[in-house]
Coordinates of all heavy atoms in Angstrom, one line a residue:
Y82 N 225.3 -44.5 -130.8 CA 224.4 -43.7 -129.9 C 224.1 -42.3 -130.4 O 223.0 -41.8 -130.2 CB 224.9 -43.7 -128.5 CG 224.7 -45.1 -127.8 CD1 225.7 -45.9 -127.4 CD2 223.3 -45.4 -127.6 CE1 225.5 -47.1 -126.9 CE2 223.1 -46.7 -127.0 CZ 224.1 -47.6 -126.6 OH 223.9 -48.8 -126.1
Q83 N 225.0 -41.7 -131.1 CA 224.8 -40.4 -131.7 C 223.8 -40.5 -132.8 O 222.8 -39.6 -132.9 CB 226.1 -39.8 -132.2 CG 226.0 -38.3 -132.5 CD 225.6 -37.4 -131.3 OE1 226.3 -37.6 -130.2 NE2 224.6 -36.7 -131.4
I85 N 221.1 -42.6 -132.9 CA 219.9 -42.9 -132.4 C 219.4 -41.7 -131.4 O 218.3 -41.8 -130.9 CB 219.7 -44.2 -131.7 CG1 220.6 -44.3 -130.4 CG2 220.0 -45.3 -132.7 CD1 220.2 -45.5 -129.6
A86 N 220.2 -40.8 -131.1 CA 220.0 -39.7 -130.2 C 218.9 -38.8 -130.7 O 218.8 -38.6 -132.0 CB 221.2 -38.9 -129.8
K87 N 218.0 -38.4 -129.9 CA 217.0 -37.4 -130.3 C 217.6 -36.0 -130.5 O 218.7 -35.8 -130.1 CB 216.0 -37.3 -129.2 CG 215.2 -38.6 -128.9 CD 214.3 -38.4 -127.7 CE 213.7 -39.8 -127.4 NZ 213.0 -39.8 -126.0
P88 N 216.9 -35.1 -131.1 CA 217.5 -33.8 -131.4 C 217.9 -33.1 -129.9 O 217.1 -33.3 -129.0 CB 216.3 -33.0 -132.0 CG 215.5 -34.0 -132.6 CD 215.6 -35.2 -131.8
H89 N 219.0 -32.4 -130.0 CA 219.4 -31.8 -128.7 C 219.7 -32.8 -127.7 O 219.7 -32.4 -126.5 CB 218.4 -30.7 -128.1 CG 218.0 -29.8 -129.2 ND1 218.9 -28.8 -129.7 CD2 216.9 -29.5 -129.8 CE1 218.2 -28.1 -130.6 NE2 217.0 -28.5 -130.7
Q90 N 220.1 -34.0 -128.0 CA 220.5 -35.0 -127.0 C 221.9 -35.5 -127.4 O 222.2 -35.7 -128.5 CB 219.4 -36.2 -127.1 CG 219.7 -37.2 -126.0 CD 218.6 -38.4 -126.1 OE1 218.3 -38.7 -127.2 NE2 218.3 -38.8 -124.9
T91 N 222.7 -35.7 -126.4 CA 224.1 -36.2 -126.7 C 224.2 -37.8 -126.8 O 223.2 -38.4 -126.4 CB 225.0 -35.8 -125.5 OG1 224.6 -36.4 -124.4 CG2 225.0 -34.2 -125.3
A92 N 225.2 -38.2 -127.3 CA 225.5 -39.6 -127.4 C 225.4 -40.3 -125.9 O 224.9 -41.4 -125.7 CB 226.7 -40.0 -128.0
F93 N 226.0 -39.5 -125.0 CA 226.1 -40.0 -123.6 C 224.6 -40.1 -123.1 O 224.2 -41.1 -122.4 CB 226.7 -38.9 -122.7 CG 226.8 -39.3 -121.2 CD1 227.7 -40.1 -120.7 CD2 225.7 -38.9 -120.3 CE1 227.7 -40.5 -119.3 CE2 225.7 -39.2 -119.1 CZ 226.8 -40.1 -118.5
N94 N 223.7 -39.2 -123.4 CA 222.2 -39.3 -122.9 C 221.6 -40.6 -123.5 O 220.9 -41.2 -122.8 CB 221.5 -38.1 -123.3 CG 222.0 -36.8 -122.6 OD1 222.1 -35.8 -123.2 ND2 222.2 -36.9 -121.3
A95 N 221.8 -40.8 -124.8 CA 221.2 -41.9 -125.5 C 221.8 -43.2 -124.9 O 220.9 -44.2 -124.7 CB 221.4 -41.9 -127.0
A96 N 223.0 -43.2 -124.7 CA 223.5 -44.5 -124.1 C 223.1 -44.7 -122.7 O 222.8 -45.8 -122.3 CB 225.2 -44.4 -124.1
F97 N 222.9 -43.6 -121.9 CA 222.4 -43.7 -120.5 C 221.0 -44.3 -120.5 O 220.7 -45.2 -119.8 CB 222.4 -42.4 -119.8 CG 222.0 -42.4 -118.4 CD1 222.9 -42.7 -117.4 CD2 220.7 -42.2 -118.1 CE1 222.5 -42.7 -116.1 CE2 220.2 -42.3 -116.8 CZ 221.2 -42.6 -115.8
Q98 N 220.1 -43.8 -121.4 CA 218.7 -44.2 -121.5 C 218.8 -45.7 -121.9 O 218.0 -46.4 -121.4 CB 218.0 -43.4 -122.6 CG 217.4 -42.2 -122.2 CD 216.5 -41.5 -123.2 OE1 216.9 -41.6 -124.4 NE2 215.5 -40.9 -122.8
D99 N 219.6 -46.1 -122.9 CA 219.7 -47.5 -123.3 C 220.1 -48.4 -122.1 O 219.4 -49.5 -121.9 CB 220.7 -47.6 -124.3 CG 220.6 -48.9 -125.2 OD1 219.5 -49.5 -125.1 OD2 221.5 -49.3 -125.8
K124 N 214.9 -48.6 -129.3 CA 216.2 -48.6 -130.0 C 217.3 -49.4 -129.3 O 218.4 -49.3 -129.6 CB 216.7 -47.2 -130.1 CG 215.7 -46.3 -130.8 CD 216.1 -44.9 -130.8 CE 215.1 -44.0 -131.5 NZ 215.4 -42.6 -131.3

Side-chain angles (χ1 to χ4, degrees):
Y82 283 113
Q83 193 61 55
I85 65 168
K87 297 174 185 170
H89 307 292
Q90 188 180 37
T91 64
F93 179 88
N94 297 135
F97 183 91
Q98 274 185 326
D99 194 24
K124 298 175 182 175

